[in-house]
Amino acid sequence: MSQPRLKQRLSQSNQCFGVFSSISDAVAIEQLALAGYDFIIFDLEHTLHSLKDVEIALLAARAAELDVLVRIPQGRYDLIAPLLDAGASGIVCAMVETPEQAQLLVERCYYAPLGMRGLNSTRLNSYATKDLAKSMIEANKQTVVVAMIETQLGVENALQIASTLGVDAVLEGAADLSQSLGVAWQTQHPSVRAAVTQIAQACEHAQSRFMAIPRTTEAVAQWQQSGVTNFVLGDDRSIMRNAHKAHIAQFKKELEQ
């Protein structure tokens, strides 16, 4: 029996582990799939990737049966349709601050009746070789919509954002949140931790899923005790750098003995 798709796994509170992907290379995507991640978030906010880079990543992930969410910059709703048409499993929208922004995100990600995503012959419906109406229904059942809260205003509106029909999950952004709260890069500052906890509590109240970005294994354990089951475990560039550092350090240590 095949594993449920990401949207169903999120709704069933199954444990999911993801990672930010900032390297636009098919082999890099394959390695993330082989490592065992449940999903990746391909980043368009802090990279210079072209849409052609994204398409290559999506095709590589499709071959590896890996779910791909694409993070778009704040307000770039125009990117949503082509990304989903190309095969993205869903969208992560940066800097969602108001329920109106959350609603606009939903409208761009879903077909009617939940949204007004544009109709076309795309990879999604095998270029019109599948029943188009059925393809719309299936897309609405599978598309994952994630709002990222990274500012004080977003925290204040967290309950309304998480309650927006069509938002599957809310992802915390402690780094940018720390800047918004006046303690830049102090992601463990009490005010930042309190704000992230407030987001998580808003999700619980709204019966939406919360995605944490733990920076230690201890943090994962603490979140699990609170019932959180969805985690984004850093960025592939940092993970690769740290792996190389540990690799060469091991050999240097052996040679020094």
Side-chain angles (χ1 to χ4, degrees):
M1 186 175 183
S2 61
Q3 187 181 62
R5 291 288 300 274
L6 181 59
K7 192 178 184 79
Q8 283 68 46
R9 296 190 68 201
L10 288 173
S11 67
Q12 295 164 7
S13 298
N14 289 340
Q15 192 174 72
C16 291
F17 291 102
V19 67
F20 282 109
S21 174
S22 301
I23 303 172
S24 60
D25 181 85
V27 174
I29 301 299
E30 289 177 318
Q31 297 304 311
L32 295 175
L34 290 169
Y37 291 105
D38 299 299
F39 66 96
I40 64 173
I41 300 176
F42 195 80
D43 190 21
L44 292 186
E45 184 185 16
H46 295 290
T47 64
L48 292 173
H49 297 322
S50 67
L51 291 182
K52 182 59 67 176
D53 293 331
V54 183
E55 185 162 41
I56 291 171
L58 290 174
L59 289 171
R62 185 179 186 181
E65 299 183 344
L66 177 65
D67 277 295
V68 180
L69 307 179
V70 181
R71 177 164 69 170
I72 60 172
Q74 182 184 38
R76 289 301 309 272
Y77 303 109
D78 59 298
L79 293 172
I80 293 174
L83 289 171
L84 293 178
D85 287 348
S89 303
I91 299 295
V92 175
C93 186
M95 297 279 185
V96 176
E97 297 183 292
T98 67
E100 291 77 17
Q101 291 172 348
Q103 184 59 45
L104 183 55
L105 172 63
V106 166
E107 290 175 0
R108 294 295 185 94
C109 286
Y110 292 101
Y111 295 112
L114 193 55
M116 288 300 293
R117 176 178 163 188
L119 302 178
N120 208 324
S121 169
T122 67
R123 183 173 294 130
L124 173 71
N125 51 49
S126 298
Y127 305 102
T129 60
K130 293 182 179 179
D131 183 280
L132 297 179
K134 289 182 179 178
S135 295
M136 286 176 54
I137 295 171
E138 182 63 19
N140 278 357
K141 290 180 179 178
Q142 300 298 345
T143 300
V144 177
V145 178
V146 181
M148 195 166 185
I149 294 181
E150 307 174 81
T151 65
Q152 186 172 2
L153 178 59
V155 174
E156 293 170 1
N157 290 319
L159 180 58
Q160 292 172 285
I161 292 169
S163 300
T164 303
L165 183 62
V167 171
D168 294 294
V170 174
L171 174 62
E172 56 106 337
D176 279 309
L177 185 53
S178 70
Q179 180 172 236
S180 178
L181 294 172
V183 288
W185 280 120
Q186 297 179 54
T187 56
Q188 297 305 306
H189 190 279
S191 63
V192 178
R193 296 182 66 176
V196 172
T197 299
Q198 185 176 336
I199 298 169
Q201 291 173 342
C203 289
E204 183 178 7
H205 185 78
Q207 296 185 327
S208 181
R209 300 304 167 202
F210 173 71
M211 287 185 174
I213 305 180
R215 286 159 173 81
T216 63
T217 54
E218 291 78 13
V220 172
Q222 290 172 357
W223 279 121
Q224 285 181 322
Q225 290 174 2
S226 302
V228 175
T229 58
N230 306 301
F231 304 99
V232 181
L233 307 178
D235 179 275
D236 57 355
R237 296 170 300 185
S238 297
I239 294 168
M240 182 175 69
R241 183 193 68 243
N242 289 332
H244 282 305
K245 286 176 65 177
H247 181 69
I248 193 170
Q250 178 184 358
F251 281 92
K252 286 182 175 180
K253 183 178 180 180
E254 291 294 331
L255 291 172
E256 289 171 358
Q257 293 179 354

